[in-house]
Amino acid sequence: MPITIKSDSEIEKMRLAGKVVAKTLEYLKNNITAGVTTKYLNQITDEFIKSQNAIPSFKNYNGYPASVCISINEEVIHGIPSKRKLVDGDVVSVDIGAILNGYHGDAARTFIVGKTSIENQKLVDVTQKSFFEGIKLAKAGNHLFDISAAIQDFVEANGFSVVKDYVGHGIGTQMHEAPEIPNYRQNRRGPKLEKGMTLAIEPMVNLGTDEIILLDDGWTVITADKKCAAHYENTILITDGQPEILTATDF
Ligand code: MF3
Ligand code: CO
């Protein structure tokens, strides 16, 4: 499938969908505290997205049973909400998707409940920073895999590893469009970036090994060494200059 170039009117719709996702993350941030169950967080996410006249895009996607992915500590991505209660020190990755007027937004943040170890705190900071290192290269005329290499270089320079088995993606009228966007170096520079492409860039970073295991629930991805993982994702728009972050939050 070719990489779609969005028209100005499509871009406007992507902005509105992105805004819903950003507002949902902002709302969730204020609700992530010790004692709440991840099921409760799913419930309020679902309600909040619907209150914005949008549709939670993860719900029933390939059979996924919830409106948000909540991945705690050694869980890397796709954690399923449950009766589990958050406790102080948990590293909680929250991934949200919404559809508004037929267009998708997709973003993730990693939050810390109370206080965690210095090591975990650094992991969360480096994961977020790796996204911004990557998107420095995300402009028309550059090549896609320059972003991938920059993310990997930054993460590894800080002593952590990037997950190789899951990747970012194009996004638009579908949650997952071409191209796939790895967070690690390729042996070529990849497709040329053009103005109007919309991409979900999403580094998944592990404290220890990059090896992961898929749990028997068919969704939850954990680190093989059970050390902590973090995730950071935004939907961005390629321009002639720095990309526009369509799911920008103030954190
Ligand atoms: N944000 C994830 C991604 O980019 C989507 C979660 S998968 C789902 O692939 F099944 F929960 F939708
Ligand atoms: Co995504």
Side-chain angles (χ1 to χ4, degrees):
M1 285 291 283
I3 304 174
T4 59
I5 306 292
K6 275 73 178 179
S7 67
D8 287 347
S9 69
E10 288 183 290
I11 288 168
E12 198 44 51
K13 290 180 187 166
M14 291 291 293
R15 282 195 184 103
L16 295 173
K19 190 78 201 152
V20 169
V21 170
K23 280 165 81 172
T24 307
L25 286 169
E26 281 162 1
Y27 171 71
L28 266 179
K29 182 183 198 260
N30 298 324
N31 283 279
I32 292 190
T33 49
V36 300
T37 67
T38 54
K39 216 184 172 99
Y40 168 77
L41 294 172
N42 178 63
Q43 179 66 29
I44 64 171
T45 302
D46 189 84
E47 287 166 6
F48 188 88
I49 293 173
K50 288 172 182 164
S51 76
Q52 307 290 303
N53 300 313
I55 303 165
S57 55
F58 293 2
K59 188 82 195 279
N60 299 322
Y61 181 83
N62 291 338
Y64 184 74
S67 297
V68 54
C69 298
I70 304 179
S71 309
I72 305 169
N73 299 332
E74 76 278 7
E75 296 171 357
V76 184
I77 48 167
H78 301 168
I80 301 174
S82 71
K83 285 191 273 187
R84 177 172 178 173
K85 286 183 174 152
L86 298 182
V87 300
D88 199 57
D90 276 345
V91 174
V92 184
S93 300
V94 170
D95 191 350
I96 306 285
I99 311 168
L100 185 68
N101 297 319
Y103 286 80
H104 287 251
D106 183 7
R109 297 287 182 275
T110 300
F111 300 112
I112 289 165
V113 181
K115 267 205 156 96
T116 189
S117 65
I118 290 172
E119 197 175 45
N120 285 349
Q121 182 65 59
K122 184 181 169 196
L123 173 73
V124 172
D125 294 344
V126 165
T127 304
Q128 176 163 353
K129 281 190 183 144
S130 73
F131 166 85
F132 288 99
E133 284 299 313
I135 67 160
K136 281 182 185 168
L137 301 171
K139 63 169 88 155
N142 281 358
H143 290 259
L144 183 68
F145 299 150
D146 299 348
I147 302 171
S148 310
I151 291 172
Q152 179 179 28
D153 287 350
F154 184 79
V155 167
E156 291 182 356
N158 281 282
F160 303 133
S161 66
V162 289
V163 171
K164 318 288 189 302
D165 304 79
Y166 294 86
V167 297
H169 49 94
I171 179 167
T173 57
Q174 306 295 317
M175 175 159 64
H176 293 139
E177 297 186 355
E180 291 196 346
I181 310 175
N183 297 301
Y184 56 100
R185 195 173 287 286
Q186 307 296 298
N187 56 16
R188 59 197 195 284
R189 291 182 74 199
K192 201 182 230 196
L193 296 172
E194 291 176 40
K195 215 169 120 173
M197 289 179 175
T198 46
L199 308 172
I201 313 274
E202 49 179 318
M204 291 149 268
V205 179
N206 295 352
L207 198 66
T209 180
D210 64 351
E211 215 183 308
I212 50 98
I213 297 169
L214 178 64
L215 295 188
D216 288 341
D217 63 18
W219 284 101
T220 313
V221 175
I222 67 165
T223 58
D225 61 8
K226 311 283 162 57
K227 290 188 182 170
C228 211
H231 185 201
Y232 187 92
E233 175 180 22
N234 279 309
T235 299
I236 67 165
L237 168 70
I238 299 298
T239 71
D240 287 326
Q242 279 305 289
E244 185 176 327
I245 300 178
L246 303 178
T247 48
T249 55
D250 56 12
F251 51 85

